[in-house]
Amino acid sequence: QFASAEESFDGKLDNYKTIAAVYARMESCISVLSDLKERKSYIFYGALGQDLGIADEGATHELDSIWEAEVLSRIPSEELRRKQEEEMKFFSFVKKKTDEADRYYMVSSLTMRTRSGELRPVIHKIFYFHCGKTIRYALCLYIAASSALTESRIVNSRTGEEIPLCKIDSSDMLSSREKEVLKLISKGHSSKEIADILGISIYTVSRHRQNIIESMNVRNSLQACRMAHQMGLI
């Protein structure tokens, strides 16, 4: 069981980095550990990184971002959008599993471009880890595959139960008020205009904006608008 108190969880960062590094070696994969609070990522490259022409096997990179651009740039744009939407659904699912977050991971298929432009099938796995009631870390694995999976799914690693991701309802990811705010943001309204339209304070609008970004695990309100439209939330 992963530590539940923030103090002890923070103290486990080196352990999580070790786990990510071991995955990279054992699975010959690209392993990305992201600290969602500090907005930092640690990338560990197995043989796949070298095969794709991204980095030598055994290389490690540290980024001041939770978006591993050098890896994501190798994924075709349509698949990348699907990946982000699926991760958001899984993020919403795991947020409700405060005491069981470490039991679940999501697995899906992607293709990634080699330096020569060839597309290679890859299995993508992602784990989210809670810190108290807050999700603190994400671990993404990009593993070479011979073929694609039939569908994306959530797996309970303890029981073996599999849940097709298409059956996960993420419509409650945002509250009705947050959806109202996001709709107005998407129409180009400023925080002051949104406050006037909804009859709330600018402080409350700012709080809703921040909650939306945290709930959807996105970089900013514009990305939240784009993803919410794709998912049919607004």
Side-chain angles (χ1 to χ4, degrees):
Q1 179 71 30
F2 291 96
S4 58
E6 184 159 0
E7 295 79 7
S8 56
F9 203 88
D10 276 341
K12 296 289 186 180
L13 176 58
D14 286 342
N15 289 344
Y16 285 110
K17 289 167 71 174
T18 298
I19 290 169
V22 168
Y23 266 120
R25 290 196 299 270
M26 296 293 291
E27 299 275 8
S28 298
C29 67
I30 300 172
S31 179
V32 183
L33 177 69
S34 296
D35 185 331
L36 305 182
K37 180 180 179 183
E38 298 298 329
R39 315 305 282 183
K40 295 175 71 74
S41 291
Y42 308 89
I43 308 179
F44 302 86
Y45 290 98
L48 180 62
Q50 185 162 312
D51 292 346
L52 293 176
I54 302 175
D56 290 339
E57 181 177 0
T60 61
H61 291 168
E62 183 174 327
L63 307 175
D64 289 324
S65 169
I66 63 169
W67 307 97
E68 57 272 24
E70 58 195 280
V71 176
L72 300 180
S73 66
R74 297 303 182 96
I75 302 171
S77 57
E78 285 300 317
E79 291 190 47
L80 185 57
R81 282 192 285 271
R82 172 176 60 81
K83 172 183 179 292
Q84 291 172 334
E85 181 178 332
E86 289 180 342
E87 287 181 355
M88 214 167 286
K89 275 189 159 185
F90 182 46
F91 186 77
S92 177
F93 173 87
V94 172
K95 280 183 69 178
K96 302 170 186 175
K97 304 288 184 180
T98 305
D99 298 324
E100 303 176 337
D102 60 312
R103 298 186 184 187
Y104 296 94
Y105 65 89
M106 185 187 79
V107 59
S108 60
S109 289
L110 295 169
T111 57
M112 297 182 73
R113 287 192 181 90
T114 64
R115 184 173 291 169
S116 64
E118 175 192 2
L119 287 174
R120 292 191 52 179
V122 171
I123 298 299
H124 174 242
K125 289 184 179 181
I126 182 168
F127 306 78
Y128 284 119
F129 306 133
H130 272 95
C131 171
K133 294 184 177 181
T134 302
I135 294 174
R136 174 65 185 266
Y137 288 114
L139 177 62
C140 283
L141 306 177
Y142 300 89
I143 307 169
S146 59
S147 59
L149 300 174
T150 55
E151 63 180 355
S152 302
R153 57 188 183 269
I154 295 171
V155 181
N156 184 320
S157 60
R158 294 192 183 183
T159 66
E161 176 192 8
E162 297 187 356
I163 308 169
L165 196 66
C166 61
K167 294 188 176 180
I168 300 298
D169 180 10
S170 57
S171 60
D172 62 348
M173 182 184 300
L174 302 176
S175 69
S176 57
R177 178 61 92 186
E178 288 167 349
K179 290 176 183 178
E180 286 180 318
V181 169
L182 200 55
K183 283 180 184 177
L184 292 171
I185 292 172
S186 69
K187 292 178 180 179
H189 290 289
S190 67
S191 291
K192 184 179 185 307
E193 290 169 338
I194 294 171
D196 291 340
I197 292 169
L198 298 180
I200 56 180
S201 69
I202 292 180
Y203 168 79
T204 300
V205 174
S206 297
R207 180 166 52 81
H208 283 312
R209 279 180 179 266
Q210 188 58 38
N211 288 343
I212 289 166
I213 290 170
E214 290 177 0
S215 294
M216 300 184 74
N217 193 27
V218 293
R219 286 171 282 187
N220 51 51
S221 298
L222 292 179
Q223 188 180 31
C225 288
R226 178 173 62 80
M227 294 305 300
H229 277 298
Q230 283 182 214
M231 299 175 70
L233 297 177
I234 60 175

